[in-house]
Amino acid sequence: EDQVTQSPEALRLQEGESSSLNCSYTVSGLRGLFWYRQDPGKGPEFLFTLYSAGEEKEKERLKATLTKKESFLHITAPKPEDSATYLCAVQAVDTGKLIFGQGTTLQVKP
Amino acid sequence: GAVVSQHPSRVICKSGTSVKIECRSLDFQATTMFWYRQFPKQSLMLMATSNEGSKATYEQGVEKDKFLINHASLTLSTLTVTSAHPEDSSFYICSARYLTGDEQFFGPGTRLTVL
């Protein structure tokens, strides 16, 4: 069964304190892994797509990496505006559907 | 680019009434649109996949007669919750995908409260 597990569930950081969020997955055949940001009461906002192990993508303070079993979202010197829930999702080759993890809720304090 | 809108953003209705939610891709043509439901503190659960001009494909456990989906054009899909009950109260989110892409772009969501 295709499955996505994110850790930790919640993370509190001080402004400027770098950290990483983890997304572990099992999927029959990976078409792509996606990271989204979701603010309270809003729909998810697309961040990155990763397709193969070793691939990295960067956007401002965020960098996403991918291995054959997990992905990391590294946050460098976070700011309070980075506070949100970060969702990881995998797309299986056979179904094409997105399977989401439970998310990591990040709070960055000034 | 890749902007998806939803209307309404919030709706409160009485038990037994039907509610229609619209999802539009504003700056691209979406051959495939998806409908998700999200309960508090939970992740997104796919309800159905709709392709323009054809019947929607529903996930296991989702009643197709209760959640009617119409994808009449390349920029518009609608979800109608028929005879809504309090247990249908949730956050409904649509997404749209380009013909040639893998990424799904999400709308802002619709908060449905059934009294």
Side-chain angles (χ1 to χ4, degrees), chain A residues 12 50 61 94:
Chain A
R12 288 185 178 182
L50 300 166
R61 295 176 293 281
D94 52 357

Side-chain angles (χ1 to χ4, degrees), chain B residues 14-113:
Chain B
K14 291 183 179 180
S15 185
T17 59
S18 295
V19 174
K20 180 186 280 190
I21 302 169
E22 289 188 351
C23 176
R24 294 181 184 271
S25 56
L26 298 184
D27 53 0
F28 67 102
Q29 292 187 328
T31 52
T32 306
M33 287 185 167
F34 304 84
W35 288 94
Y36 293 83
R37 185 165 48 183
Q38 187 176 35
F39 291 105
K41 307 258 180 181
Q42 295 188 23
S43 195
L44 282 75
M45 296 299 295
L46 180 65
M47 298 175 67
T49 301
S50 75
N51 291 293
E52 184 262 340
S54 61
K55 289 185 178 180
T57 303
Y58 291 82
E59 294 301 298
Q60 193 171 11
V62 177
E63 299 175 55
K64 62 181 180 181
D65 294 330
K66 180 168 187 62
F67 298 100
L68 301 179
I69 292 171
N70 184 275
H71 192 163
S73 76
L74 287 173
T75 59
L76 173 64
S77 177
T78 60
L79 167 68
T80 301
V81 183
T82 62
S83 187
H85 289 95
E87 58 266 30
D88 299 322
S89 299
S90 188
F91 192 50
Y92 292 86
I93 314 174
C94 72
S95 71
R97 190 173 69 192
Y98 293 117
L99 172 63
T100 57
D102 293 317
E103 293 84 4
Q104 292 182 25
F105 298 96
F106 286 83
T110 296
R111 173 73 58 193
L112 171 63
T113 303

Side-chain angles (χ1 to χ4, degrees), chain A residues 1-41:
Chain A
E1 183 185 348
D2 301 335
Q3 194 169 4
V4 178
T5 303
Q6 292 186 245
S7 62
E9 285 188 19
L11 182 62
R12 288 185 178 182
L13 299 173
Q14 287 296 130
E15 184 172 2
E17 180 186 2
S18 301
S19 188
S20 296
L21 283 54
N22 177 263
C23 170
S24 298
Y25 64 90
T26 54
V27 63
S28 52
L30 180 69
R31 180 174 177 86
L33 184 142
F34 305 83
W35 282 98
Y36 288 87
R37 168 192 171 129
Q38 186 175 26
D39 292 301

